[in-house]
């Protein structure tokens, strides 16, 4: 009796352990079998149903203490491994993780549970324990590997064998005068003081607090890249507070607050700069007149309440001869602008000689929305120079202040590009509202929507049109500034080209003189059914097959992802329960998947081109949406929301068009609020513009400041998250970027994509980094406006400048 009691207790604990494992297997099995049955009924994979039944059987065998439980468990696990490898469309760490981690955990537990069966020989029980320990070590290694980058692509394009390109001196100005530094939009910095070798020594030079509003409705998103002229930076906040900042000290020189407020899309991406003395379009007589008058150098800023303001660049005071004492009201003749609520510019004024061209964001909900007209104003007087109104192609009404511009025409909410040599300005257009149903669109909307339009910079007359999407009902408006860069065609001829990134993942390259494609573009058949009531879709769409397609690989059930087996199953069910016909899936009243989505692909940040090496850097996001048109009868079932993504998740965004009252837009994601597609969800890519091939692509961003259910994980897991903002390339071989969901400013090696430096920021930064060289000290600075990502809980008003310590600076 002396040894009986401890043995009895030991057996009781072992039995309890085995029953506990059996209960876990039973619960997992019921969940997988139920979800798997649903998936099979939708035409999906059989695995989850069979796996669920297998775990239920395993649970019963464990409870009954059957020796067959061990080989049965091994069989379930081996079958799962084989299925995982055959089912995975792209073999890799992230693809296999949800398929194998939970089954491996259950297998380890079942091995240890069967080791409690006294009917097995001691050797067999020992092998089960050791096998479980070995697999546990594998699981720990897998967890550790999550902190290493996965999914990078590196190709041999022959780039290393190509000699450097030559860059003309006039293409590398000292100032950052335009949104993307130069008027061609390349965001290229011709400096090499900060290199891949010494970038790790960057340190904070100064921090400036803009004083932007951080709380309350309509605070907006800080997307500002300051303009730099000489040693002065000109910054603007989302509500258009403009500050001149000393570039070496970070001290404010002057401020101007226009007291601008709006309800929607509150942002300021930058300001325009005009210098009378540098203006090549003025005669010598024009330049010497009023030599002592203010505003010979001026700042032009558009506001979120639809005003255009001229400021003296040296004092920040309103220009007395510009408009009405420094202010031009942009709302007259636009239609129902409602103090900027339904219309205001979101790009920066693009200065062309002594005119500035501006487009505008239009709330695209109903018929009769404000006009999408693009206008040019004299930067000295504020007088209207011309108007590009596609509903009035001959500008017959342009000079008549009583005439309203054509309502609800395609608009230009992003930034145009100016070609001084050709005297053309290139307009990337959106759509004439409403966005998601076009059954009654007129010829103007059909021709000019989602298109690159070249107009005469002096008159606004249309020169050519290249459309990137036909009859766009996916909100695939062109989001980014066109970039001008010379490339070679198939015949080896150098062509003055225009490069346009899109939300669809296509990159179009056209001759900027004519609008004809330089790289191959083909019309491919796309689905037109099932179509929404009264809709008529284009049977083909243009695809840019001569350039790499970024983040647009079609979805499949097998490409659905999750953190675990369970949310992957959920995502598979959601996929099968949705309409998906690949790219350009027709919108309809049944839930349909849009991928790439209206978020992108590529978005407003644009690209950067290393002009010396002929490398283009493109960041993207990969977030599918599950959408549904809602008719008037069913609209009352939903809450109406005017918020931006992801704020309108689960609500109805008004879209009053034809028989429809709105569109429901949800991210295709699991209950853990993780996108259903396989990571990465965002990357940076380098494209060799000589070979037109992808040189490298790396996931960008970690889950440190986000995670399942929106909770911060505080883990540096480089999953690759959606990106906003744009990159900045330098002559030294660096690419600076801050538009990730984690709060870092990064530097990548431009030849390899390797991260060579990063600095922690107080909040996210969707703005592009500014890199400039001080004319006073010769120091090179990297500047970022770190105001916070859209819908991030963390908001800041800091502009931060980094520079090398004195002992690392080479003059």
């Amino acid at each position: 009796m002396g040894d009986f009691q401890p043995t009895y207790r030991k057996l009781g604990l072992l039995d309890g352990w085995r029953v506990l494992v059996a209960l876990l297997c039973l619960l997992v099995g019921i969940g997988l079998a139920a979800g798997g049955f649903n998936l099979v009924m939708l035409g999906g994979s059989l695995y989850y149903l069979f796996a669920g039944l297998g775990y239920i059987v395993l649970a019963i065998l464990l409870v009954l203490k059957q020796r067959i439980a061990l080989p049965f468990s091994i069989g379930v696990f081996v079958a799962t491994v084989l299925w995982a490898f055959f089912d995975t469309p792209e073999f890799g760490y992230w693809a296999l993780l949800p398929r194998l981690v939970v089954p491996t955990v259950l297998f380890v537990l079942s091995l240890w549970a069967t080791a409690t069966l006294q009917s097995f020989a001691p050797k067999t029980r020992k092998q089960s324990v050791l096998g479980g320990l070995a697999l546990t070590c594998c699981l720990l290694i897998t967890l550790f590997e999550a902190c290493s980058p996965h999914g990078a692509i590196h190709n041999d394009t022959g780039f290393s064998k190509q000699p450097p390109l030559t860059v003309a001196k006039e293409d590398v100005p000292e100032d950052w005068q335009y949104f993307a530094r130069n008027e061609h939009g390349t965001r290229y910095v011709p400096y090499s003081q900060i290199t891949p070798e010494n970038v790790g020594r960057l340190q904070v030079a100064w921090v400036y607090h803009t004083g932007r509003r951080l709380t309350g409705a309509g605070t907006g998103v800080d997307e500002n890249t300051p303009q730099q002229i000489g040693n002065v930076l000109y910054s603007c906040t989302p509500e258009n507070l403009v500050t001149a900042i000393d570039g070496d000290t970070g001290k404010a020189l002057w401020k101007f607050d226009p007291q601008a407020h709006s309800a929607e899309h509150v942002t300021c991406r930058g300001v325009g700069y005009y210098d009378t003395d540098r203006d090549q379009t003025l005669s010598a007589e024009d330049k010497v007149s009023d030599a002592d008058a203010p505003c010979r150098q001026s700042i032009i800023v558009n506001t979120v309440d639809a005003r255009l303001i001229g400021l003296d660049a040296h004092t920040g005071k309103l220009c007395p001869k510009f408009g009405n004492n420094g202010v031009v009201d942009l709302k007259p003749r636009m239609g129902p602008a409602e103090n900027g609520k339904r219309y205001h510019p979101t790009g920066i004024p693009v200065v062309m000689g002594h005119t500035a061209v501006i487009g505008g964001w239009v709330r695209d909900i109903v018929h009769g929305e404000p006009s999408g007209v693009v206008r040019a104003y004299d930067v000295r007087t504020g007088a209207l120079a011309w108007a590009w109104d596609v509903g009035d192609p001959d500008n017959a009404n342009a000079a008549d202040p009583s005439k309203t511009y054509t309502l609800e025409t395609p608009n230009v909410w992003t930034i145009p590009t100016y070609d001084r040599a050709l005297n053309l300005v290139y307009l990337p257009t959106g759509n004439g509202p409403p966005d998601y149903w076009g059954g009654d669109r007129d010829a103007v909307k059909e021709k000019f929507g989602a298109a690159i339009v070249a107009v005469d910079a002096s008159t606004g007359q249309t020169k050519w049109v290249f459309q990137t999407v036909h009859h766009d009902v996916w909100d695939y408006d062109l989001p980014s500034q066109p970039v001008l860069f010379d490339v070679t065609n198939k015949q080896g001829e150098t062509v003055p080209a225009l490069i346009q990134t899109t939300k669809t993942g296509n990159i179009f390259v056209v001759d900027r003189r004519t609008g004809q494609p330089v790289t191959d573009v083909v019309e491919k058949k796309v689905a037109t059914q099932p179509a929404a009531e009264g809709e008529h879709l284009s049977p083909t769409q243009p695809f840019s097959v001569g350039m790499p397609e970024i983040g647009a690989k079609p979805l499949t059930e097998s490409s659905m992802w999750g953190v675990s087996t369970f949310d992957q199953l959920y995502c598979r069910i959601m996929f099968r329960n949705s309409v998906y016909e690949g790219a350009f899936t027709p919108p309809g009243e049944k839930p349909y998947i849009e991928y790439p989505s209206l978020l992108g692909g590529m978005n407003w940040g644009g690209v950067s081109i290393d002009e010396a090496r002929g490398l283009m850097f493109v960041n993207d996001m990969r977030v599918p949406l599950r959408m549904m048109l809602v008719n008037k009868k069913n609209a009352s079932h939903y809450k109406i929301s005017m918020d931006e993504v992801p704020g309108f998740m689960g609500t109805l965004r008004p879209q009053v068009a034809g028989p429809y009252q709105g569109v429901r837009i949800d991210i295709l994601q699991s209950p853990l609020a993780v996108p259903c597609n396989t990571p990465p969800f965002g990357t940076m890519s380098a494209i060799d513009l000589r070979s037109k091939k992808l040189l490298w692509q790396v996931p960008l961003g970690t889950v440190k400041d986000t995670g399942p259910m929106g909770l911060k994980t505080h883990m540096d897991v480089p999953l690759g998250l959606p990106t906003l903002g744009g990159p900045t390339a330098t002559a030294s071989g660096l690419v600076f970027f801050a538009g990730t969901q984690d709060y870092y400013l990064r530097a990548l090696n431009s030849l390899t994509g390797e991260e060579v430096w990063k600095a922690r920021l107080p909040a996210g930064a969707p703005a592009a980094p500014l890199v400039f060289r001080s004319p006073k000290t010769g120091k090179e600075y990297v500047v970022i406006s770190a105001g916070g990502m859209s819908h991030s809980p963390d908001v800041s008003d800091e502009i931060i400048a980094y520079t090398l310590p004195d002992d690392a600076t080479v003059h």
Side-chain angles (χ1 to χ4, degrees), residues 395-695:
N395 286 335
N397 299 325
D400 188 346
S402 67
K403 299 289 187 179
T404 298
Y405 298 116
T406 309
L407 299 183
E408 63 177 86
T409 50
N411 63 319
V412 177
W413 62 265
T414 190
I415 299 164
T417 305
Y418 174 50
D419 188 329
R420 187 189 307 271
L422 296 177
N423 195 37
L424 294 176
V425 58
Y426 303 99
L427 309 178
T429 70
N431 302 303
D435 266 338
Y436 307 103
W437 185 85
D440 58 2
R441 286 185 183 169
D442 59 23
V444 166
K445 291 182 184 179
E446 298 289 24
K447 178 179 179 179
F448 290 100
I452 310 161
V453 184
V455 304
D456 188 288
S458 301
T459 66
Q461 293 294 314
T462 300
K463 295 300 182 180
W464 55 257
V465 181
F466 177 86
Q467 191 167 61
T468 64
V469 179
H470 306 320
H471 191 76
D472 179 14
V473 288
W474 301 272
D475 200 11
Y476 283 155
D477 44 0
L478 290 184
S480 57
Q481 180 183 25
V483 180
L484 311 184
F485 189 72
D486 295 352
V487 301
T488 55
N489 59 18
K490 282 186 174 181
Q491 291 72 40
E493 303 164 330
T494 299
V495 178
L498 178 150
I499 302 172
Q500 179 68 63
T501 57
T502 68
K503 292 181 179 181
T504 65
N506 284 279
I507 302 172
F508 293 94
V509 183
V510 300
D511 188 321
R512 60 181 186 258
R513 299 167 298 186
T514 63
Q516 295 300 308
V518 175
T519 57
D520 288 342
V521 176
V522 298
E523 291 281 337
K524 294 184 181 180
K525 289 184 178 180
V526 294
T528 57
Q529 297 296 327
E533 182 180 345
E535 186 60 275
H536 53 87
L537 300 176
S538 173
T540 65
Q541 292 290 347
F543 287 81
S544 180
V545 298
M547 288 288 286
E549 190 178 52
I550 305 295
K553 187 173 182 178
L555 301 175
T556 63
E557 183 202 319
S558 294
S559 67
M560 293 297 98
W561 193 75
V563 176
S564 70
T565 302
F566 310 108
D567 49 322
Q568 184 177 49
L569 172 57
Y570 175 90
C571 285
R572 284 180 178 245
I573 293 172
M574 291 290 285
F575 178 82
R576 285 290 183 177
N577 208 20
S578 306
V579 177
Y580 180 67
E581 300 292 339
F584 302 99
T585 292
E589 295 180 36
K590 294 182 179 180
Y592 65 94
I593 295 172
E594 181 178 292
Y595 185 79
S597 72
L598 58 90
L599 305 176
M602 284 74 84
N603 210 295
W604 62 264
V607 306
S608 178
I609 296 179
D610 183 330
E611 297 181 11
R613 297 174 176 86
L615 284 178
M616 181 169 72
F617 306 101
V618 184
N619 61 287
D620 74 311
M621 66 174 78
R622 306 176 186 189
V623 180
L625 296 180
R626 191 171 187 257
M627 304 172 63
M628 178 175 64
L629 293 175
V630 180
N631 59 33
K632 297 174 183 177
K633 177 182 177 181
N634 296 324
S636 61
H637 301 161
Y638 299 93
K639 175 186 175 183
I640 303 295
S641 173
M642 292 302 302
D643 205 351
E644 299 292 331
V645 175
F648 55 55
M649 289 284 293
T651 66
L652 188 70
R653 188 166 178 82
Q655 189 71 188
V656 184
Y660 299 103
Q661 197 71 19
V663 57
R664 176 163 175 165
I665 306 176
D666 297 296
I667 296 174
L668 180 64
Q669 61 183 9
S670 74
L672 297 178
V674 176
C676 282
N677 52 310
T678 303
F681 307 129
T683 70
M684 180 71 75
S685 301
I687 298 172
D688 181 351
L689 290 176
R690 283 180 276 196
S691 67
K692 317 300 188 299
K693 295 179 180 179
L694 183 71
L695 179 63

Side-chain angles (χ1 to χ4, degrees), residues 96 141 170 209 245 276 321 370 506 511 561 676 680 691 770 778:
L96 291 174
I141 293 172
E170 58 267 26
H209 292 270
I245 305 169
T276 304
K321 294 184 178 181
N506 284 279
D511 188 321
W561 193 75
C676 282
S691 67
L770 160 71

Side-chain angles (χ1 to χ4, degrees), residues 13 250 296:
L13 288 174
R296 288 187 67 82

Side-chain angles (χ1 to χ4, degrees), residues 157-174:
T157 68
F159 170 79
S160 59
K161 302 180 180 67
Q162 298 291 335
L165 301 176
T166 57
V167 182
K169 185 176 181 181
E170 58 267 26
D171 288 337
V172 287
E174 287 293 310

